[in-house]
Amino acid sequence: LNSVSMVFYKMVALLMKLAPIGLMAYFADLTGTYGPELLKSYARGLLIYYPAAIVYFLVFLGMYAFLAAGTWGVKNFFKNILTPALTALGTRSSAAALPLQLDACDKLGVPREVSSVVVPIGATCHMDGACIATIYEIVLCCALFGRPLDSIGDFAFALVIAVAGSVAVSSVPGGGAAMETMVISAFGFPSAALPVLLMMTQLFDAGCTLINSCGDTVASMLVTRILYGRDWYKKN
């Protein structure tokens, strides 16, 4: 099993090197075929979502690390999370980053009896990045199709749909389409919203995976704090 895992580590390392080349070729073909005007409307969405995702990653995940192990937790979390974070961004797959997240937990001193449970479960039901993206998509469609969010009940309903939908479709192949269909049905958007949401999902996917995946590591730190006390990192 160790030998097989090393093979997969090597495959991920090769993918990390080749993925940027393929991504640049894809966007070059897209721009050459449809023109730069196609990208402007989606660039606005990226300028809103990714700064929010970066702030959440640095501030809130850092706060969770502080709650788990104080300033030591913040320093060492961001020190050890770099490789898993880049893997999540490059592959857009929490499953691909999962072995590296477990390795980061080992370096942080999180017992395997905790990380081997928290991280895999988190890969299927801890979807904070996807929730943020879904809320943005709901607000975008409300603005496009004239369905304002007028009350606290509307905001609460949007939050429930974002949380329930992101968890429910996390393990479904092509789950993005299922999620967008759920949003359209729940809010009564026209079918024209589907291609808009599908494109936004693809653009947001890397940031969603980054937050989803790295959040599992800090969650394992918090669980260890609860189980082993506030000085757990000194013991390990």
Side-chain angles (χ1 to χ4, degrees):
L1 289 176
N2 288 334
S3 299
V4 171
S5 66
M6 293 304 297
V7 172
F8 281 102
Y9 289 156
K10 183 62 176 178
M11 292 170 62
V12 171
L14 291 173
L15 183 61
M16 289 288 291
K17 295 177 181 178
L18 296 175
I21 300 174
L23 187 64
M24 287 187 288
Y26 172 75
F27 276 105
D29 177 73
L30 187 68
T31 304
T33 303
Y34 298 102
E37 293 296 326
L38 176 68
L39 304 179
K40 288 183 179 180
S41 58
Y42 295 112
R44 297 187 183 95
L46 296 178
L47 289 175
I48 294 174
Y49 175 74
Y50 276 94
I54 292 171
V55 169
Y56 183 87
F57 179 81
L58 295 175
V59 175
F60 285 91
L61 296 191
M63 181 181 68
Y64 301 148
F66 179 81
L67 293 175
T71 55
W72 182 94
V74 177
K75 177 182 176 181
N76 286 275
F77 171 72
F78 286 112
K79 176 182 176 181
N80 290 290
I81 206 65
L82 179 60
T83 300
L86 292 176
T87 302
L89 280 173
T91 63
R92 299 194 304 173
S93 170
S94 296
L98 193 149
L100 298 176
Q101 296 291 354
L102 291 173
D103 184 60
C105 289
D106 292 341
K107 294 177 180 178
L108 288 165
V110 175
R112 267 297 172 116
E113 63 189 26
V114 174
S115 62
S116 62
V117 175
V118 174
V119 174
I121 291 178
T124 59
C125 66
H126 182 218
M127 299 291 156
D128 38 357
C131 288
I132 296 172
T134 303
I135 288 295
Y136 175 83
E137 292 172 356
I138 290 173
V139 173
L140 174 66
C141 285
C142 286
L144 286 175
F145 300 106
R147 190 200 183 285
L149 297 172
D150 292 326
S151 64
I152 297 297
D154 290 338
F155 287 106
F157 182 62
L159 288 172
V160 169
I161 293 298
V163 174
S166 60
V167 173
V169 305
S170 61
S171 300
V172 178
M179 177 66 182
E180 314 315 343
T181 303
M182 180 178 177
V183 169
I184 291 172
S185 299
F187 285 87
F189 296 135
S191 57
L194 182 59
V196 175
L197 293 180
L198 287 175
M199 177 57 75
M200 298 308 293
T201 298
Q202 293 302 313
L203 294 175
F204 293 163
D205 195 24
C208 291
T209 307
L210 170 68
I211 297 175
N212 294 343
S213 180
C214 295
D216 300 336
T217 299
V218 78
S220 69
M221 295 171 64
L222 285 168
V223 172
T224 305
R225 164 71 173 81
I226 295 171
L227 294 177
Y228 293 94
R230 64 181 182 180
D231 294 330
W232 62 269
Y233 59 95
K234 297 179 181 178
K235 301 174 183 178
N236 294 327

